[in-house]
Amino acid sequence: MPAPRTAARVTSGQLVFGNPEEAKGGRSLLWSCDNGRRVGVTMKAVNGSVKLNGAAVAGVRQVHAPPQPTPSVDDDGGAFRLGKFVEGRLVYRQQFVIRSYEIGPDRTATMETIMNLLQETALNHVMCSGLAGDGFGATRQMTLRKLIWVVTRINIQVDKYSRWGDVVEIDTWVASSGKNGMRRDWIIRDRNTKNMIARATRETRKLSKIPEEVRQEVLPFYLDRSIIAADASGGGGSKIEKLTDSTAEHIRSGLAPRWSDMDVNQHVNNVKYIGWILESVPQDVLEDYHLTSITLDYRRECRQSQLLESLTSMTSSAAAELPLPASSRCSSDLQSTHLIRQQDDRAEIVRARAEWSCKGHEVRSSSPGMKL
């Protein structure tokens, strides 16, 4: 079994990985996890101080990192799987190409695709930070205490959907949320234009007090920057009203979670709820409108044995400002409210609220100055 690897968090912002075995002169060979490649550095303790490649640094803290496969001469897969750190290592950036199986009938990436890319970027951020334990996205201290992250709410706003073959660039970072929660934010840019095309924010559920050991693990990575204001339209902290049989206009029953819908914690993957929500959205809305914003409020976990129902209510927003093309069937933009519940006892699983823009409209432009 290979020796465990370690990571060092240094005040200069350098994060290094390596085996604890000694090189000549008492030096330890380490590897940088940055820019999707490995860069060799050396660390040496001299009279109580630490030097990286001969330069003195202070405030070194050792934490464990997961074992990483040693690439062969022809294996550069890490360059495609991992991104890089920017802004003093507080922001993690990764690029993805939109695949043919990630687009929908209108030949653009689906909302499920966007959520999957956000999740992948977040997990790679944790891994490349040297925080990952044995759990799925959990830190070492969380793994020791058998804790997992549980999402309470996510809000995604899309200005433009990418097409097959487009390359997107995703930035993500974390911050505290209240006393016992954590928030993660993302922005998505078109790689060629660098224009921001989507943004998202997610909060974890405050089930219990975050242990101080876990807090100290993630504290060096906190960046106090919100990409979506709490009172922004369609997202933030505003309450989503509960739908009932009398208030819902469309109900789809008999939705059965499959084994492939489960995550590693034996709960339905958060992304899967998007598809079930769309099951009760009228067909003409799906054909004529873009889903420009959605907020999901997760109420409880769902397992495979539970049959689900999807409820939807559609309302018209203010009249469109732009003239509609003659061929468009849209009269105005739309808002919708959704509920995913258990079919037997009608227990709530997810509440959601969404905004829809007619495909004949230009989507709202990105906020100025957001080319971070």
Side-chain angles (χ1 to χ4, degrees):
M1 178 179 296
R5 310 184 72 176
T6 59
R9 175 73 179 179
V10 186
T11 54
S12 63
Q14 180 68 39
L15 183 67
V16 291
F17 296 86
N19 294 322
E21 54 199 37
E22 296 293 323
K24 291 184 178 179
R27 298 173 299 173
S28 296
L29 180 62
L30 302 164
W31 297 96
S32 167
C33 181
D34 205 353
N35 299 307
R37 56 190 170 85
R38 305 202 318 167
V39 181
V41 297
T42 58
M43 183 174 73
K44 183 178 182 180
V46 180
N47 295 327
S49 64
V50 176
K51 292 185 176 182
L52 291 178
N53 284 348
V57 294
V60 179
R61 180 168 62 89
Q62 296 288 333
V63 296
H64 291 287
Q68 299 292 329
T70 302
S72 64
V73 175
D74 297 325
D75 179 18
D76 59 351
F80 295 94
R81 185 165 57 93
L82 299 179
K84 63 181 180 180
F85 288 95
V86 296
E87 297 193 47
R89 304 191 65 82
L90 295 176
V91 176
Y92 182 76
R93 177 174 296 169
Q94 188 165 0
Q95 295 182 351
F96 299 91
V97 61
I98 303 302
R99 311 291 185 179
S100 61
Y101 51 82
E102 295 174 324
I103 62 175
D106 59 359
R107 301 186 180 185
T108 62
T110 64
M111 183 62 77
E112 294 99 313
T113 292
I114 292 175
M115 287 191 68
N116 278 321
L117 294 181
L118 299 181
Q119 181 171 273
E120 181 70 10
T121 307
L123 293 173
N124 285 338
H125 180 202
V126 175
M127 181 182 65
C128 202
S129 298
L131 294 175
D134 294 333
F136 197 58
T139 68
R140 288 190 65 254
Q141 291 296 331
M142 291 175 62
T143 300
L144 291 174
R145 291 164 175 77
K146 298 182 179 181
L147 300 174
I148 61 173
W149 297 118
V150 179
V151 177
T152 180
R153 174 173 283 209
I154 185 168
N155 175 223
I156 304 174
Q157 298 179 3
V158 180
D159 300 329
K160 178 183 177 182
Y161 282 91
S162 301
R163 304 183 73 84
W164 175 33
D166 287 351
V167 179
V168 296
E169 181 178 85
I170 303 179
D171 284 6
T172 187
W173 61 92
V174 294
S176 62
S177 177
K179 294 182 179 180
N180 297 311
M182 190 174 79
R183 189 187 76 247
R184 177 176 287 276
D185 291 273
W186 296 265
I187 58 174
I188 305 180
R189 303 185 192 85
D190 181 280
R191 189 194 65 171
N192 292 328
T193 65
K194 298 301 181 182
N195 291 331
M196 184 170 63
I197 59 177
R199 63 190 68 80
T201 188
R202 183 187 74 189
E203 295 182 0
T204 57
R205 184 170 295 166
K206 304 168 186 177
L207 293 177
S208 62
K209 182 179 180 181
I210 297 179
E212 185 61 27
E213 293 83 358
V214 175
R215 191 186 305 276
Q216 291 303 315
E217 274 188 314
V218 298
L219 185 62
F221 297 91
Y222 278 175
L223 175 61
D224 188 14
R225 175 192 296 163
S226 298
I227 197 61
I228 298 178
D231 58 350
S233 176
S238 57
K239 182 180 179 180
I240 302 176
E241 296 298 326
K242 178 182 177 180
L243 286 181
T244 65
D245 290 310
S246 60
T247 58
E249 300 169 351
H250 311 277
I251 300 178
R252 175 70 183 274
S253 302
L255 301 173
R258 302 169 300 176
W259 175 254
S260 59
D261 296 330
M262 301 296 111
D263 62 20
V264 296
N265 299 311
Q266 300 296 308
H267 298 148
V268 169
N269 188 301
N270 293 330
V271 178
K272 298 299 180 180
Y273 295 109
I274 295 288
W276 291 327
I277 285 172
L278 298 181
E279 286 290 329
S280 59
V281 173
Q283 184 71 28
D284 57 345
V285 174
L286 299 177
E287 292 176 351
D288 296 342
Y289 288 81
H290 287 298
L291 178 55
T292 56
S293 174
I294 188 167
T295 300
L296 294 100
D297 191 351
Y298 297 96
R299 316 292 284 187
R300 69 179 64 197
E301 288 74 37
C302 176
R303 298 185 181 274
Q304 186 184 2
S305 59
Q306 299 167 336
L307 281 179
L308 306 177
E309 288 184 321
S310 175
L311 288 70
T312 290
S313 177
M314 308 292 304
T315 58
S316 177
S317 60
E321 297 179 1
L322 297 176
L324 297 174
S327 60
S328 175
R329 295 183 292 178
C330 304
S331 58
S332 67
D333 290 346
L334 302 174
Q335 296 178 343
S336 59
T337 305
H338 308 270
L339 174 67
I340 301 295
R341 69 187 183 189
Q342 294 178 189
Q343 186 168 308
D344 55 356
D345 61 2
R346 300 188 177 184
E348 292 183 79
I349 304 295
V350 175
R351 292 187 189 184
R353 178 175 53 241
E355 296 180 354
W356 305 78
S357 176
C358 181
K359 291 181 179 179
H361 297 190
E362 294 293 332
V363 295
R364 62 180 181 272
S365 59
S366 300
S367 303
M370 294 308 297
K371 290 185 178 182
L372 302 176

